[in-house]
Amino acid sequence: MSIISGALYVVATPIGNLGDISARAIEVLRGVTVIAAEDTRHSGKLLHHFGIKTPTLALHDHNERAVSESIVARLQAGEAVALVSDAGTPLISDPGFHLVAQARAAGCQVIPVPGASALLAALSASGLPSDRFVFEGFLPAKEGARAAKLEQLRDDPRTLVFYEAPHRIEASIAAMAAVLGGARRAVIARELTKTFETIHGDTLAGLLQWLAADANQRKGEFVVVVSGAPTEVRGVDGEAERVLRLLLAEMSVKQAAALTAKITGVKKNLLYPFALDISGD
Ligand code: SAM
Protein backbone atom coordinates (compact mmCIF):
# COMPACT_ATOMS: atom_id res chain seq x y z
CA MET A 1 0.00 0.00 0.00
CA SER A 2 1.44 3.38 -0.87
CA ILE A 3 1.00 6.32 1.46
CA ILE A 4 -0.27 9.47 -0.24
CA SER A 5 1.98 12.43 0.42
CA GLY A 6 0.22 15.48 1.84
CA ALA A 7 -2.69 13.39 3.18
CA LEU A 8 -4.09 13.37 6.71
CA TYR A 9 -5.13 9.84 7.72
CA VAL A 10 -7.76 9.61 10.49
CA VAL A 11 -6.99 6.21 11.99
CA ALA A 12 -9.26 4.26 14.36
CA THR A 13 -7.50 2.17 17.03
CA PRO A 14 -8.95 -0.57 19.30
CA ILE A 15 -11.32 0.18 22.23
CA GLY A 16 -9.83 -2.63 24.31
CA ASN A 17 -8.98 -5.74 22.31
CA LEU A 18 -5.79 -5.10 20.33
CA GLY A 19 -6.91 -7.68 17.77
CA ASP A 20 -9.40 -5.09 16.52
CA ILE A 21 -6.75 -2.94 14.83
CA SER A 22 -6.97 -3.27 11.05
CA ALA A 23 -4.14 -4.38 8.77
CA ARG A 24 -4.56 -1.09 6.90
CA ALA A 25 -4.29 0.95 10.12
CA ILE A 26 -0.94 -0.73 10.89
CA GLU A 27 0.38 -0.04 7.38
CA VAL A 28 -0.68 3.61 7.53
CA LEU A 29 0.79 4.16 11.00
CA ARG A 30 4.07 2.61 9.77
CA GLY A 31 4.14 4.61 6.55
CA VAL A 32 3.30 8.18 7.56
CA THR A 33 5.93 10.78 8.54
CA VAL A 34 4.42 11.51 11.94
CA ILE A 35 1.50 10.39 14.13
CA ALA A 36 -0.53 13.05 15.96
CA ALA A 37 -1.76 11.36 19.14
CA GLU A 38 -4.09 12.49 21.94
CA ASP A 39 -1.64 11.07 24.50
CA THR A 40 1.75 10.11 23.09
CA ARG A 41 2.61 7.83 26.04
CA HIS A 42 -0.68 5.95 25.77
CA SER A 43 -0.41 5.53 21.98
CA GLY A 44 3.30 4.72 22.37
CA LYS A 45 2.32 1.43 24.04
CA LEU A 46 0.04 0.50 21.13
CA LEU A 47 2.69 1.43 18.56
CA HIS A 48 5.35 -0.52 20.45
CA HIS A 49 3.07 -3.58 20.54
CA PHE A 50 2.86 -3.54 16.74
CA GLY A 51 6.54 -2.66 16.23
CA ILE A 52 5.70 0.77 14.74
CA LYS A 53 8.58 3.25 15.11
CA THR A 54 6.99 6.35 13.51
CA PRO A 55 7.57 9.51 15.61
CA THR A 56 4.59 10.97 17.48
CA LEU A 57 3.48 14.45 18.49
CA ALA A 58 0.80 15.47 20.99
CA LEU A 59 -2.56 16.80 19.80
CA HIS A 60 -5.09 17.11 22.60
CA ASP A 61 -8.04 19.29 23.60
CA HIS A 62 -5.76 21.99 25.06
CA ASN A 63 -3.34 22.50 22.15
CA GLU A 64 -5.40 21.34 19.19
CA ARG A 65 -6.03 24.68 17.50
CA ALA A 66 -2.38 25.77 17.63
CA VAL A 67 -0.90 22.38 16.74
CA SER A 68 -3.36 21.93 13.87
CA GLU A 69 -1.87 24.95 12.12
CA SER A 70 1.63 23.48 12.15
CA ILE A 71 0.31 20.05 11.05
CA VAL A 72 -1.51 21.64 8.10
CA ALA A 73 1.76 23.37 7.13
CA ARG A 74 3.50 19.97 7.20
CA LEU A 75 0.73 18.45 5.06
CA GLN A 76 1.11 21.29 2.58
CA ALA A 77 4.85 20.60 2.48
CA GLY A 78 4.02 17.06 1.35
CA GLU A 79 4.28 15.07 4.59
CA ALA A 80 1.70 12.38 5.37
CA VAL A 81 0.27 12.56 8.88
CA ALA A 82 -1.88 10.10 10.87
CA LEU A 83 -4.26 11.17 13.62
CA VAL A 84 -5.10 8.74 16.45
CA SER A 85 -6.88 9.13 19.79
CA ASP A 86 -6.51 7.06 22.97
CA ALA A 87 -9.13 4.57 21.82
CA GLY A 88 -11.58 4.04 19.00
CA THR A 89 -12.30 6.56 16.27
CA PRO A 90 -10.73 10.04 16.57
CA LEU A 91 -13.24 12.96 16.77
CA ILE A 92 -15.92 10.72 18.34
CA SER A 93 -15.96 12.32 21.82
CA ASP A 94 -12.23 12.78 21.17
CA PRO A 95 -9.94 15.50 19.76
CA GLY A 96 -9.38 15.98 16.03
CA PHE A 97 -12.27 18.12 14.81
CA HIS A 98 -10.21 21.32 14.43
CA LEU A 99 -7.38 19.51 12.67
CA VAL A 100 -9.69 17.80 10.16
CA ALA A 101 -11.65 21.03 9.55
CA GLN A 102 -8.46 23.06 9.06
CA ALA A 103 -6.90 20.41 6.80
CA ARG A 104 -9.99 20.27 4.59
CA ALA A 105 -10.29 24.05 4.50
CA ALA A 106 -6.67 24.18 3.30
CA GLY A 107 -7.51 21.74 0.51
CA CYS A 108 -5.57 18.81 1.98
CA GLN A 109 -6.80 15.27 1.39
CA VAL A 110 -8.30 13.65 4.52
CA ILE A 111 -8.52 9.86 4.43
CA PRO A 112 -10.46 7.84 7.04
CA VAL A 113 -9.09 4.48 8.14
CA PRO A 114 -12.17 3.11 9.90
CA GLY A 115 -12.23 0.68 12.78
CA ALA A 116 -13.56 0.36 16.32
CA SER A 117 -15.94 2.82 17.91
CA ALA A 118 -17.66 2.06 21.21
CA LEU A 119 -20.97 3.58 20.13
CA LEU A 120 -21.38 1.37 17.07
CA ALA A 121 -20.13 -1.73 18.89
CA ALA A 122 -22.73 -1.15 21.62
CA LEU A 123 -25.56 -0.33 19.23
CA SER A 124 -24.84 -3.35 17.03
CA ALA A 125 -25.13 -5.75 19.98
CA SER A 126 -27.91 -3.96 21.91
CA GLY A 127 -30.93 -5.52 20.23
CA LEU A 128 -32.58 -2.07 20.20
CA PRO A 129 -33.73 -0.49 16.91
CA SER A 130 -30.64 0.57 14.97
CA ASP A 131 -32.18 1.97 11.77
CA ARG A 132 -32.20 5.47 13.25
CA PHE A 133 -30.31 6.63 16.31
CA VAL A 134 -28.92 9.74 18.00
CA PHE A 135 -25.45 9.81 19.51
CA GLU A 136 -25.35 12.26 22.43
CA GLY A 137 -21.82 11.60 23.71
CA PHE A 138 -21.53 12.33 27.45
CA LEU A 139 -24.51 13.84 29.28
CA PRO A 140 -23.72 17.01 31.26
CA ALA A 141 -22.16 16.27 34.66
CA LYS A 142 -24.39 18.74 36.57
CA GLU A 143 -27.78 17.43 37.66
CA GLY A 144 -29.87 20.33 36.30
CA ALA A 145 -28.19 20.44 32.89
CA ARG A 146 -28.40 16.65 32.62
CA ALA A 147 -32.14 16.64 33.34
CA ALA A 148 -32.66 19.48 30.84
CA LYS A 149 -30.81 17.56 28.11
CA LEU A 150 -32.88 14.44 28.83
CA GLU A 151 -36.10 16.52 28.68
CA GLN A 152 -35.07 17.60 25.17
CA LEU A 153 -34.65 13.97 24.16
CA ARG A 154 -37.73 12.57 25.90
CA ASP A 155 -40.04 12.50 22.86
CA ASP A 156 -37.40 11.57 20.31
CA PRO A 157 -38.49 8.29 18.67
CA ARG A 158 -34.92 7.36 17.69
CA THR A 159 -32.69 5.10 19.78
CA LEU A 160 -30.47 7.22 22.07
CA VAL A 161 -26.79 6.39 22.58
CA PHE A 162 -24.70 7.89 25.43
CA TYR A 163 -21.16 7.51 26.72
CA GLU A 164 -20.78 7.45 30.49
CA ALA A 165 -18.02 7.39 33.09
CA PRO A 166 -18.02 4.88 35.99
CA HIS A 167 -18.43 7.53 38.72
CA ARG A 168 -21.57 8.87 37.02
CA ILE A 169 -23.24 5.75 35.62
CA GLU A 170 -25.68 5.30 38.52
CA ALA A 171 -26.66 8.99 38.65
CA SER A 172 -27.17 9.05 34.88
CA ILE A 173 -29.37 5.97 34.79
CA ALA A 174 -31.36 7.41 37.73
CA ALA A 175 -31.84 10.69 35.82
CA MET A 176 -32.89 8.79 32.69
CA ALA A 177 -35.43 6.78 34.69
CA ALA A 178 -36.79 9.99 36.26
CA VAL A 179 -37.14 11.92 32.98
CA LEU A 180 -37.74 9.22 30.36
CA GLY A 181 -39.72 6.92 32.67
CA GLY A 182 -38.60 3.82 34.57
CA ALA A 183 -40.41 1.56 32.07
CA ARG A 184 -38.27 2.66 29.08
CA ARG A 185 -35.99 -0.17 27.90
CA ALA A 186 -32.23 0.33 27.75
CA VAL A 187 -28.98 -1.60 27.45
CA ILE A 188 -25.76 -1.01 29.37
CA ALA A 189 -22.69 -2.07 27.36
CA ARG A 190 -19.67 -2.20 29.68
CA GLU A 191 -16.01 -2.91 28.93
CA LEU A 192 -16.67 -3.80 25.29
CA THR A 193 -14.10 -6.14 23.68
CA LYS A 194 -12.35 -6.54 27.08
CA THR A 195 -12.23 -9.38 29.64
CA PHE A 196 -15.24 -8.18 31.65
CA GLU A 197 -17.43 -7.26 28.70
CA THR A 198 -21.06 -7.15 29.88
CA ILE A 199 -24.08 -6.25 27.77
CA HIS A 200 -27.17 -6.10 29.94
CA GLY A 201 -30.66 -5.01 28.93
CA ASP A 202 -33.67 -4.19 31.15
CA THR A 203 -36.03 -1.31 31.88
CA LEU A 204 -34.29 1.81 33.23
CA ALA A 205 -35.79 1.05 36.66
CA GLY A 206 -34.45 -2.52 36.45
CA LEU A 207 -31.00 -1.32 35.37
CA LEU A 208 -30.86 1.04 38.34
CA GLN A 209 -31.53 -1.83 40.75
CA TRP A 210 -29.02 -4.02 38.96
CA LEU A 211 -26.29 -1.38 39.25
CA ALA A 212 -27.09 -0.69 42.91
CA ALA A 213 -26.87 -4.41 43.74
CA ASP A 214 -23.41 -5.06 42.29
CA ALA A 215 -20.45 -2.67 42.58
CA ASN A 216 -18.57 -4.60 39.86
CA GLN A 217 -21.16 -3.49 37.32
CA ARG A 218 -20.30 0.14 38.09
CA LYS A 219 -16.64 -0.27 37.06
CA GLY A 220 -15.02 0.34 33.69
CA GLU A 221 -16.21 2.09 30.54
CA PHE A 222 -19.84 2.37 29.53
CA VAL A 223 -22.11 2.95 26.60
CA VAL A 224 -25.82 3.32 27.40
CA VAL A 225 -28.28 2.60 24.60
CA VAL A 226 -31.87 3.68 25.31
CA SER A 227 -35.04 2.88 23.32
CA GLY A 228 -36.63 5.82 21.55
CA ALA A 229 -39.88 7.35 22.81
CA PRO A 230 -42.82 4.98 22.48
CA THR A 231 -45.06 5.92 19.58
CA GLU A 232 -47.98 6.90 21.85
CA VAL A 233 -45.90 9.90 22.88
CA ARG A 234 -46.25 11.16 19.32
CA GLY A 235 -50.04 10.91 19.49
CA VAL A 236 -50.34 7.61 17.63
CA ASP A 237 -51.78 4.99 19.98
CA GLY A 238 -51.41 1.24 19.67
CA GLU A 239 -54.77 0.73 17.90
CA ALA A 240 -54.01 3.43 15.28
CA GLU A 241 -50.58 1.88 14.72
CA ARG A 242 -52.17 -1.57 14.24
CA VAL A 243 -54.66 -0.27 11.66
CA LEU A 244 -51.97 1.75 9.91
CA ARG A 245 -49.63 -1.24 9.62
CA LEU A 246 -52.45 -3.38 8.13
CA LEU A 247 -53.29 -0.71 5.57
CA LEU A 248 -49.65 0.00 4.71
CA ALA A 249 -49.37 -3.57 3.48
CA GLU A 250 -52.13 -2.86 0.94
CA MET A 251 -51.75 0.76 -0.20
CA SER A 252 -49.54 3.85 -0.41
CA VAL A 253 -48.34 5.70 2.69
CA LYS A 254 -50.57 8.66 1.87
CA GLN A 255 -53.70 6.53 1.38
CA ALA A 256 -52.98 4.43 4.47
CA ALA A 257 -52.53 7.53 6.66
CA ALA A 258 -55.74 9.11 5.32
CA LEU A 259 -57.81 5.96 5.83
CA THR A 260 -56.38 5.30 9.30
CA ALA A 261 -57.30 8.87 10.26
CA LYS A 262 -60.89 8.24 9.17
CA ILE A 263 -61.12 4.89 10.99
CA THR A 264 -59.44 5.86 14.27
CA GLY A 265 -59.97 9.62 14.57
CA VAL A 266 -56.20 10.19 15.00
CA LYS A 267 -55.05 13.29 13.09
CA LYS A 268 -53.65 12.68 9.59
CA ASN A 269 -50.74 15.07 10.15
CA LEU A 270 -49.59 12.84 13.05
CA LEU A 271 -50.17 9.62 11.13
CA TYR A 272 -48.44 10.58 7.90
CA PRO A 273 -44.88 11.15 9.25
CA PHE A 274 -45.31 8.14 11.51
CA ALA A 275 -46.40 6.02 8.50
CA LEU A 276 -43.34 7.22 6.58
CA ASP A 277 -41.14 6.16 9.50
CA ILE A 278 -42.54 2.66 9.81
CA SER A 279 -43.15 1.96 6.13
CA GLY A 280 -39.48 0.95 5.78
CA ASP A 281 -39.69 -1.57 8.72
N1 SAM B 1 -13.31 7.72 20.36
C1 SAM B 1 -13.90 6.69 21.19
C2 SAM B 1 -14.83 5.83 20.32
O1 SAM B 1 -14.72 5.86 19.09
O2 SAM B 1 -15.65 5.09 20.88
C3 SAM B 1 -14.60 7.26 22.41
C4 SAM B 1 -13.72 8.11 23.28
S1 SAM B 1 -14.51 8.75 24.72
C5 SAM B 1 -13.31 9.84 25.36
C6 SAM B 1 -14.38 7.43 25.86
C7 SAM B 1 -15.74 6.85 26.23
O3 SAM B 1 -16.13 5.93 25.21
C8 SAM B 1 -15.74 6.04 27.51
O4 SAM B 1 -15.94 6.88 28.64
C9 SAM B 1 -16.92 5.13 27.30
O5 SAM B 1 -18.13 5.82 27.53
C10 SAM B 1 -16.80 4.84 25.80
N2 SAM B 1 -15.96 3.64 25.60
C11 SAM B 1 -14.71 3.60 25.09
N3 SAM B 1 -14.26 2.32 25.07
C12 SAM B 1 -15.25 1.55 25.58
C13 SAM B 1 -15.39 0.15 25.83
N4 SAM B 1 -14.41 -0.69 25.56
N5 SAM B 1 -16.56 -0.28 26.36
C14 SAM B 1 -17.57 0.58 26.63
N6 SAM B 1 -17.48 1.90 26.42
C15 SAM B 1 -16.34 2.38 25.91
Side-chain angles (χ1 to χ4, degrees):
M1 190 192 104
S2 63
I3 298 291
I4 298 175
S5 66
L8 172 66
Y9 290 88
V10 183
V11 182
T13 57
I15 55 169
N17 188 325
L18 293 184
D20 291 336
I21 196 153
S22 73
R24 184 168 167 236
I26 293 175
E27 279 184 74
V28 167
L29 293 174
R30 268 207 188 108
V32 293
T33 320
V34 67
I35 299 168
E38 182 181 5
D39 177 340
T40 50
R41 276 180 58 187
H42 182 95
S43 295
K45 290 181 198 150
L46 178 86
L47 299 175
H48 179 75
H49 180 87
F50 290 105
I52 297 167
K53 299 197 170 69
T54 311
T56 56
L57 61 83
L59 178 135
H60 43 69
D61 283 336
H62 307 292
N63 71 359
E64 185 176 348
R65 282 171 196 260
V67 170
S68 294
E69 241 174 75
S70 65
I71 293 178
V72 170
R74 293 177 74 159
L75 292 168
Q76 286 174 322
E79 290 187 11
V81 179
L83 168 68
V84 297
S85 60
D86 285 356
T89 302
L91 281 84
I92 306 301
S93 294
D94 267 342
F97 165 71
H98 295 290
L99 174 59
V100 170
Q102 283 187 34
R104 288 189 59 84
C108 302
Q109 194 173 350
V110 179
I111 302 174
V113 181
S117 188
L119 86 100
L120 291 181
L123 182 67
S124 68
S126 70
L128 296 178
S130 52
D131 49 349
R132 287 179 188 79
F133 64 92
V134 203
F135 173 56
E136 278 293 330
F138 292 92
L139 279 168
K142 293 205 173 122
E143 208 179 318
R146 181 165 54 205
K149 170 51 81 181
L150 288 168
E151 289 284 353
Q152 273 177 22
L153 296 167
R154 191 180 50 202
D155 294 343
D156 197 315
R158 297 169 294 180
T159 297
L160 310 172
V161 186
F162 302 94
Y163 282 168
E164 199 43 276
H167 59 285
R168 277 203 278 269
I169 185 70
E170 235 181 326
S172 268
I173 298 288
M176 289 178 198
V179 178
L180 308 176
R184 185 88 71 102
R185 290 203 72 81
V187 170
I188 292 181
R190 184 176 79 92
E191 293 289 271
L192 291 166
T193 77
K194 303 187 210 176
T195 311
F196 296 108
E197 177 177 275
T198 311
I199 301 173
H200 182 73
D202 200 340
T203 59
L204 285 168
L207 287 176
L208 200 52
Q209 281 185 359
W210 179 73
L211 284 174
D214 184 354
N216 284 327
Q217 301 302 345
R218 304 195 295 268
K219 292 181 186 153
E221 298 194 280
F222 297 87
V223 183
V224 182
V225 187
V226 185
S227 288
T231 52
E232 283 84 349
V233 170
R234 292 192 288 162
V236 181
D237 61 23
E239 177 59 9
E241 180 176 347
R242 193 182 69 81
V243 172
L244 186 61
R245 282 186 188 274
L246 283 173
L247 296 178
L248 274 173
E250 307 294 332
M251 57 191 75
S252 73
V253 169
K254 207 170 157 190
Q255 288 171 320
L259 201 49
T260 305
K262 278 193 188 145
I263 295 168
T264 63
V266 174
K267 288 204 174 79
K268 202 167 81 183
N269 62 358
L270 290 176
L271 285 164
Y272 183 68
F274 181 69
L276 276 179
D277 263 7
I278 66 170
S279 59
D281 287 1

